[in-house]
Amino acid sequence: MTASLSDVFAGMFSGTGPAPRPAVLEPLTMASAGERIADRLVTAIALGNFVPGQRLPSERDMAAMLEVSRASVREAVQRLAAEGYVEVRRGRSGGAYVAADWLPASAEKVRRTLLPSWRALENLLDCRSCVEEMIATVAARRRTAADVEAISTALAAYREAGDDRELSRAADEALHGAVARATHSPYLIQLSDHLGQAVGLGFRAEPYTIALRHTALEQHGQLARAVIAGEPPLAGELAARHFTLTEDRIRALVDRIRDEPTADRPPAESSPDDLASPDTVPEEPGHQGPR
């Protein structure tokens, strides 16, 4: 590998160098970082990345994920506690727990988070689908006996997790990590990890509902069997289909905020065309808004 190509990969994974990160990957360094983090958390909760009753990542972990100060995270959590989105508990099992997944202010917060960087997010979703299709294809060609065991173990753990959100999340991450590692390509493994975090709005979390879990359970089994059986085209096709679950969830949320009233747009004035209006998304030639 040439030095210039190495620099490109280094830039992709570190945020420096000739490959700039899309807008949705940029650190939150604005003066209003606390409010922006709060908006992003509300969006993640609305997507199902975090669900009622679930403990949010620690202040330290969120600061590292979003590349912001702990003070900014603390401000965001305090805002959300005051608004009723989270409950802050003290003691050994203390932390910020999700209290509500949707409140009257949610639509406006989601609009502020998703719409200004919508095209960048669409590109990331497309890139992730392509990369995961390639990963599954390569994994089906290169899997070893050890890889087969790791994939089978992770699949069993996902099945046994039941409707437990945290166990499902951990098993889901383990399964896709095992498939990625079966490629025996460090760059593909890193790409999968970084794209997953980016699509999760910076948090290491995927949308979750009971219905989504049941769909994923069936798709996980199909994908694992294709990789284990050494069927590259089928594995790739199944992976591409599976990773549309997150995209569909995000698009459904965008459709929802299209009709939800916000402080600057009462119900009587709302219309589908507002999504692409100059007041919400900077217009560019040929832009048609979310598909």
Side-chain angles (χ1 to χ4, degrees):
M1 182 180 292
T2 64
S4 59
L5 187 54
S6 295
D7 291 341
V8 169
F9 275 102
M12 289 175 67
F13 298 141
S14 69
T16 60
R21 293 181 296 182
V24 293
L25 290 178
E26 288 299 321
L28 295 167
T29 56
M30 303 297 289
S32 56
E35 183 176 2
R36 289 172 179 265
I37 295 168
D39 285 355
R40 189 180 290 196
L41 277 167
V42 168
T43 303
I45 292 169
L47 283 170
N49 291 3
F50 303 113
V51 299
Q54 180 182 356
R55 180 182 176 180
L56 293 177
S58 69
E59 183 181 287
R60 176 180 298 175
D61 287 345
M62 276 201 283
M65 290 175 187
L66 302 180
E67 300 180 46
V68 297
S69 69
R70 292 180 63 175
S72 295
V73 172
R74 191 176 306 119
E75 177 191 342
V77 171
Q78 289 171 348
R79 284 175 177 270
L80 297 187
E83 294 174 19
Y85 286 99
V86 303
E87 175 190 355
V88 178
R89 303 176 189 172
R90 307 299 178 186
R92 173 177 291 184
S93 60
Y97 289 78
V98 178
D101 56 6
W102 193 266
L103 292 174
S106 294
E108 187 170 357
K109 294 176 183 294
V110 173
R111 286 172 66 86
R112 288 198 298 257
T113 300
L114 291 184
L115 296 190
S117 56
W118 177 251
R119 286 183 295 281
L121 183 53
E122 280 192 309
N123 288 333
L124 269 175
L125 289 165
D126 178 65
C127 180
R128 188 193 192 196
S129 179
C130 292
V131 168
E132 294 296 345
E133 179 178 0
M134 177 172 58
I135 284 174
T137 300
V138 175
R141 291 196 189 109
R142 297 181 178 177
R143 81 274 185 264
T144 64
D147 296 323
V148 168
E149 182 178 358
I151 292 170
S152 298
T153 299
L155 179 61
Y158 191 81
R159 287 172 174 161
E160 293 168 4
D163 295 334
D164 186 297
R165 171 68 177 93
E166 282 304 307
L167 291 178
S168 291
R169 182 204 61 76
D172 179 82
E173 185 175 323
L175 176 60
H176 291 298
V179 172
R181 287 189 294 276
T183 66
H184 300 276
S185 167
Y187 290 131
L188 289 179
I189 295 168
Q190 289 184 70
L191 270 174
S192 178
D193 181 66
H194 283 259
L195 286 171
Q197 184 172 358
V199 169
L201 305 180
F203 306 105
R204 292 188 176 278
E206 297 280 350
Y208 177 88
T209 66
I210 298 300
L212 275 176
R213 174 184 154 72
H214 291 168
T215 299
L217 183 59
E218 179 181 357
Q219 293 184 352
H220 281 165
Q222 294 171 343
L223 175 59
R225 285 192 294 271
V227 172
I228 290 171
E231 301 182 59
L234 178 59
E237 178 185 339
L238 291 169
R241 185 187 310 162
H242 175 65
F243 280 93
T244 64
L245 290 178
T246 297
E247 178 177 357
D248 291 345
R249 182 74 176 176
I250 293 174
R251 290 188 184 281
L253 181 58
V254 171
D255 287 341
R256 179 176 185 176
I257 63 172
R258 177 182 299 173
D259 300 319
E260 287 277 347
T262 63
D264 63 340
R265 193 183 60 130
E269 299 177 4
S270 64
S271 73
D273 293 336
D274 287 344
L275 268 179
S277 70
D279 293 334
T280 54
V281 182
E283 187 67 38
E284 291 183 0
H287 172 55
Q288 300 297 321
R291 291 198 296 269

Tab-separated table of all heavy atoms in Angstrom, residues 209-235:
chain	number	residue	atom	x	y	z
A	209	THR	N	-37.146	-1.668	18.745
A	209	THR	CA	-38.518	-1.881	19.191
A	209	THR	C	-38.687	-3.399	19.230
A	209	THR	O	-37.879	-4.128	18.645
A	209	THR	CB	-39.570	-1.279	18.238
A	209	THR	OG1	-39.513	-1.976	16.986
A	209	THR	CG2	-39.338	0.220	18.000
A	210	ILE	N	-39.740	-3.857	19.871
A	210	ILE	CA	-39.979	-5.301	19.913
A	210	ILE	C	-40.175	-5.830	18.493
A	210	ILE	O	-39.648	-6.885	18.118
A	210	ILE	CB	-41.213	-5.633	20.779
A	210	ILE	CG1	-40.977	-5.169	22.225
A	210	ILE	CG2	-41.496	-7.123	20.733
A	210	ILE	CD1	-39.783	-5.823	22.894
A	211	ALA	N	-40.920	-5.065	17.665
A	211	ALA	CA	-41.160	-5.496	16.280
A	211	ALA	C	-39.855	-5.549	15.492
A	211	ALA	O	-39.616	-6.495	14.726
A	211	ALA	CB	-42.153	-4.557	15.608
A	212	LEU	N	-38.995	-4.538	15.663
A	212	LEU	CA	-37.704	-4.534	14.965
A	212	LEU	C	-36.855	-5.719	15.413
A	212	LEU	O	-36.176	-6.349	14.591
A	212	LEU	CB	-36.952	-3.230	15.245
A	212	LEU	CG	-37.270	-2.023	14.372
A	212	LEU	CD1	-36.496	-0.813	14.860
A	212	LEU	CD2	-36.945	-2.311	12.909
A	213	ARG	N	-36.877	-6.013	16.692
A	213	ARG	CA	-36.089	-7.142	17.188
A	213	ARG	C	-36.539	-8.454	16.548
A	213	ARG	O	-35.720	-9.266	16.151
A	213	ARG	CB	-36.199	-7.248	18.712
A	213	ARG	CG	-35.509	-8.509	19.223
A	213	ARG	CD	-35.641	-8.753	20.690
A	213	ARG	NE	-35.526	-10.180	20.961
A	213	ARG	CZ	-34.376	-10.866	20.873
A	213	ARG	NH1	-33.255	-10.263	20.525
A	213	ARG	NH2	-34.371	-12.162	21.114
A	214	HIS	N	-37.839	-8.650	16.438
A	214	HIS	CA	-38.347	-9.894	15.852
A	214	HIS	C	-37.952	-10.004	14.379
A	214	HIS	O	-37.611	-11.095	13.901
A	214	HIS	CB	-39.861	-9.964	16.017
A	214	HIS	CG	-40.291	-10.148	17.442
A	214	HIS	ND1	-41.596	-9.996	17.859
A	214	HIS	CD2	-39.579	-10.469	18.557
A	214	HIS	CE1	-41.671	-10.218	19.163
A	214	HIS	NE2	-40.462	-10.505	19.606
A	215	THR	N	-37.991	-8.877	13.667
A	215	THR	CA	-37.544	-8.887	12.269
A	215	THR	C	-36.052	-9.181	12.195
A	215	THR	O	-35.594	-9.988	11.380
A	215	THR	CB	-37.836	-7.535	11.606
A	215	THR	OG1	-39.243	-7.296	11.618
A	215	THR	CG2	-37.354	-7.521	10.151
A	216	ALA	N	-35.279	-8.528	13.057
A	216	ALA	CA	-33.830	-8.724	13.071
A	216	ALA	C	-33.470	-10.153	13.444
A	216	ALA	O	-32.488	-10.714	12.934
A	216	ALA	CB	-33.176	-7.744	14.035
A	217	LEU	N	-34.248	-10.749	14.332
A	217	LEU	CA	-33.975	-12.114	14.748
A	217	LEU	C	-34.018	-13.065	13.557
A	217	LEU	O	-33.128	-13.908	13.377
A	217	LEU	CB	-34.996	-12.552	15.798
A	217	LEU	CG	-34.822	-13.945	16.398
A	217	LEU	CD1	-33.462	-14.079	17.065
A	217	LEU	CD2	-35.940	-14.226	17.405
A	218	GLU	N	-35.027	-12.908	12.712
A	218	GLU	CA	-35.130	-13.748	11.523
A	218	GLU	C	-34.000	-13.443	10.545
A	218	GLU	O	-33.356	-14.354	10.001
A	218	GLU	CB	-36.482	-13.518	10.847
A	218	GLU	CG	-36.676	-14.334	9.582
A	218	GLU	CD	-38.010	-14.079	8.917
A	218	GLU	OE1	-38.821	-13.307	9.463
A	218	GLU	OE2	-38.250	-14.649	7.826
A	219	GLN	N	-33.726	-12.148	10.329
A	219	GLN	CA	-32.687	-11.768	9.373
A	219	GLN	C	-31.298	-12.164	9.852
A	219	GLN	O	-30.439	-12.549	9.050
A	219	GLN	CB	-32.759	-10.262	9.104
A	219	GLN	CG	-34.025	-9.848	8.371
A	219	GLN	CD	-34.042	-8.374	8.033
A	219	GLN	OE1	-33.177	-7.609	8.465
A	219	GLN	NE2	-35.037	-7.965	7.264
A	220	HIS	N	-31.049	-12.063	11.150
A	220	HIS	CA	-29.755	-12.485	11.699
A	220	HIS	C	-29.511	-13.967	11.415
A	220	HIS	O	-28.403	-14.369	11.045
A	220	HIS	CB	-29.710	-12.244	13.208
A	220	HIS	CG	-29.446	-10.827	13.577
A	220	HIS	ND1	-29.657	-10.339	14.850
A	220	HIS	CD2	-28.993	-9.779	12.857
A	220	HIS	CE1	-29.334	-9.063	14.897
A	220	HIS	NE2	-28.932	-8.698	13.696
A	221	GLY	N	-30.549	-14.764	11.616
A	221	GLY	CA	-30.400	-16.199	11.371
A	221	GLY	C	-30.083	-16.494	9.915
A	221	GLY	O	-29.200	-17.314	9.606
A	222	GLN	N	-30.767	-15.822	9.002
A	222	GLN	CA	-30.531	-16.026	7.576
A	222	GLN	C	-29.111	-15.599	7.192
A	222	GLN	O	-28.412	-16.307	6.457
A	222	GLN	CB	-31.546	-15.227	6.763
A	222	GLN	CG	-32.976	-15.700	6.923
A	222	GLN	CD	-33.977	-14.750	6.279
A	222	GLN	OE1	-33.663	-13.594	5.988
A	222	GLN	NE2	-35.192	-15.240	6.059
A	223	LEU	N	-28.691	-14.430	7.702
A	223	LEU	CA	-27.355	-13.926	7.388
A	223	LEU	C	-26.273	-14.843	7.937
A	223	LEU	O	-25.305	-15.181	7.236
A	223	LEU	CB	-27.189	-12.515	7.960
A	223	LEU	CG	-25.807	-11.873	7.834
A	223	LEU	CD1	-25.385	-11.769	6.370
A	223	LEU	CD2	-25.792	-10.502	8.494
A	224	ALA	N	-26.417	-15.249	9.189
A	224	ALA	CA	-25.420	-16.126	9.809
A	224	ALA	C	-25.301	-17.441	9.045
A	224	ALA	O	-24.188	-17.922	8.787
A	224	ALA	CB	-25.786	-16.385	11.269
A	225	ARG	N	-26.429	-18.010	8.657
A	225	ARG	CA	-26.397	-19.282	7.925
A	225	ARG	C	-25.712	-19.131	6.573
A	225	ARG	O	-24.950	-20.008	6.148
A	225	ARG	CB	-27.825	-19.816	7.740
A	225	ARG	CG	-28.426	-20.407	9.012
A	225	ARG	CD	-29.709	-21.172	8.716
A	225	ARG	NE	-30.769	-20.288	8.236
A	225	ARG	CZ	-31.634	-19.669	9.038
A	225	ARG	NH1	-31.561	-19.815	10.347
A	225	ARG	NH2	-32.592	-18.917	8.528
A	226	ALA	N	-25.940	-18.011	5.884
A	226	ALA	CA	-25.321	-17.796	4.573
A	226	ALA	C	-23.810	-17.640	4.694
A	226	ALA	O	-23.044	-18.171	3.871
A	226	ALA	CB	-25.936	-16.576	3.893
A	227	VAL	N	-23.365	-16.910	5.724
A	227	VAL	CA	-21.921	-16.730	5.925
A	227	VAL	C	-21.290	-18.067	6.304
A	227	VAL	O	-20.251	-18.458	5.752
A	227	VAL	CB	-21.647	-15.665	7.010
A	227	VAL	CG1	-20.152	-15.627	7.347
A	227	VAL	CG2	-22.117	-14.290	6.542
A	228	ILE	N	-21.897	-18.773	7.237
A	228	ILE	CA	-21.357	-20.049	7.699
A	228	ILE	C	-21.307	-21.072	6.569
A	228	ILE	O	-20.343	-21.844	6.436
A	228	ILE	CB	-22.199	-20.578	8.878
A	228	ILE	CG1	-21.952	-19.700	10.118
A	228	ILE	CG2	-21.856	-22.034	9.190
A	228	ILE	CD1	-22.895	-19.987	11.267
A	229	ALA	N	-22.342	-21.064	5.711
A	229	ALA	CA	-22.409	-22.030	4.602
A	229	ALA	C	-21.498	-21.654	3.447
A	229	ALA	O	-21.334	-22.431	2.500
A	229	ALA	CB	-23.847	-22.154	4.110
A	230	GLY	N	-20.890	-20.469	3.509
A	230	GLY	CA	-19.991	-20.048	2.435
A	230	GLY	C	-20.735	-19.704	1.157
A	230	GLY	O	-20.337	-20.131	0.065
A	231	GLU	N	-21.787	-18.890	1.266
A	231	GLU	CA	-22.571	-18.452	0.117
A	231	GLU	C	-22.440	-16.934	-0.040
A	231	GLU	O	-23.321	-16.182	0.400
A	231	GLU	CB	-24.029	-18.850	0.287
A	231	GLU	CG	-24.256	-20.351	0.443
A	231	GLU	CD	-25.732	-20.693	0.558
A	231	GLU	OE1	-26.498	-20.368	-0.367
A	231	GLU	OE2	-26.113	-21.277	1.590
A	232	PRO	N	-21.368	-16.461	-0.669
A	232	PRO	CA	-21.099	-15.020	-0.740
A	232	PRO	C	-22.215	-14.164	-1.335
A	232	PRO	O	-22.622	-13.167	-0.714
A	232	PRO	CB	-19.816	-14.945	-1.578
A	232	PRO	CG	-19.147	-16.263	-1.341
A	232	PRO	CD	-20.274	-17.251	-1.248
A	233	PRO	N	-22.762	-14.486	-2.523
A	233	PRO	CA	-23.803	-13.609	-3.079
A	233	PRO	C	-25.027	-13.505	-2.165
A	233	PRO	O	-25.567	-12.417	-1.962
A	233	PRO	CB	-24.156	-14.274	-4.415
A	233	PRO	CG	-22.971	-15.106	-4.758
A	233	PRO	CD	-22.442	-15.594	-3.452
A	234	LEU	N	-25.462	-14.623	-1.616
A	234	LEU	CA	-26.624	-14.615	-0.736
A	234	LEU	C	-26.342	-13.838	0.541
A	234	LEU	O	-27.173	-13.056	1.009
A	234	LEU	CB	-27.037	-16.048	-0.395
A	234	LEU	CG	-28.230	-16.190	0.562
A	234	LEU	CD1	-29.466	-15.528	-0.011
A	234	LEU	CD2	-28.485	-17.664	0.875
A	235	ALA	N	-25.161	-14.036	1.116
A	235	ALA	CA	-24.799	-13.323	2.345
A	235	ALA	C	-24.813	-11.820	2.109
A	235	ALA	O	-25.327	-11.050	2.931
A	235	ALA	CB	-23.428	-13.778	2.840
